[in-house]
């Protein structure tokens, strides 16, 4: 569990962090201590929770922190949507990074499900979410932000 640096999801999150920090740099100055700060903290939280969970020593704790990481990823997605709606960034830029966020979420779901199977638990939360929202296989049908309700 403790060798989190080899996890593809952790490595993908580092790429996501770089992309989000680049976006945060172009947000208006008045957002420095608001949306920009929150966006940066949330994306760093994804990688940090993966690492912290891996270092906790128990499978149950690891899974708990992976769920926290997934929650932070959804937070980043929401904040990117807000950035595009406020026209701080283009829809294309937002959708490009949201694609990476969804990839990280998908990878976290798969890792969580695998670990829950190892523990003998049913990954009900992940299964319910896939039933409601679809799986990463549906990634090519993401709606542009302008067409979302």
């Amino acid at each position: 569990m403790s060798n989190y640096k080899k996890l593809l999801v952790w490595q993908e999150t580092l790429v996501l962090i770089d992309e989000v920090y680049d976006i945060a740099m172009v947000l208006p100055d008045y957002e420095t201590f608001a949306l920009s700060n929150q966006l940066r903290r949330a994306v760093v939280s994804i990688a940090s929770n993966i690492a912290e969970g891996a270092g906790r020593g128990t499978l149950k704790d690891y899974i708990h922190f992976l769920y926290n990481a997934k929650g932070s990823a959804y937070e980043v997605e929401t904040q990117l949507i807000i950035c595009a709606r406020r026209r701080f960034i283009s829809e294309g830029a937002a959708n490009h990074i949201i694609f990476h966020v969804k990839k990280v979420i998908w990878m976290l779901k798969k890792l969580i499900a695998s670990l829950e199977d190892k523990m003998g638990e049913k990954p009900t939360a992940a299964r319910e979410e896939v039933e409601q929202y679809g799986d990463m296989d549906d990634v090519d049908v993401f709606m542009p932000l302008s067409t979302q309700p």
Side-chain angles (χ1 to χ4, degrees):
M1 275 190 295
S2 63
N3 203 352
Y4 64 91
K5 294 176 196 165
K6 290 186 178 180
L7 290 172
L8 293 177
V9 67
W10 185 80
Q11 294 169 12
E12 185 70 27
T13 301
L14 294 184
V15 173
L16 181 61
I17 289 170
D18 291 340
E19 291 178 332
V20 167
Y21 265 74
D22 289 345
I23 290 293
M25 298 286 287
V26 301
L27 294 179
D29 288 342
Y30 61 85
E31 289 294 344
T32 299
F33 300 108
L35 188 57
S36 176
N37 183 44
Q38 192 170 355
L39 187 57
R40 286 179 283 128
R41 290 170 57 94
V43 76
V44 168
S45 179
I46 301 168
S48 298
N49 274 296
I50 294 168
E52 185 173 356
R56 284 293 176 134
T58 70
L59 204 50
K60 186 175 181 175
D61 282 343
Y62 191 19
I63 292 167
H64 172 78
F65 279 90
L66 291 174
Y67 274 111
N68 288 344
K70 190 174 78 160
S72 292
Y74 279 111
E75 185 178 352
V76 169
E77 178 185 23
T78 298
Q79 292 161 357
L80 289 167
I81 291 168
I82 291 167
C83 285
R85 287 178 60 93
R86 300 295 309 148
R87 294 184 178 86
F88 297 148
I89 60 174
S90 71
E91 284 187 21
N95 284 329
H96 171 78
I97 299 174
I98 288 170
F99 176 84
H100 286 265
V101 173
K102 293 210 178 267
K103 183 176 180 182
V104 167
I105 291 169
W106 180 81
M107 294 170 87
L108 285 166
K109 286 179 190 178
K110 294 296 184 182
L111 180 56
I112 290 166
S114 171
L115 294 173
E116 286 179 334
D117 282 349
K118 215 179 247 193
M119 283 185 61
E121 294 181 9
K122 295 184 183 217
T124 55
R127 186 176 59 249
E128 288 169 4
E129 199 165 288
V130 167
E131 289 170 359
Q132 187 174 3
Y133 298 107
D135 206 342
M136 189 65 177
D137 296 336
D138 299 332
V139 78
D140 61 329
V141 296
F142 289 148
M143 291 189 299
L145 290 171
S146 60
T147 62
Q148 292 180 358

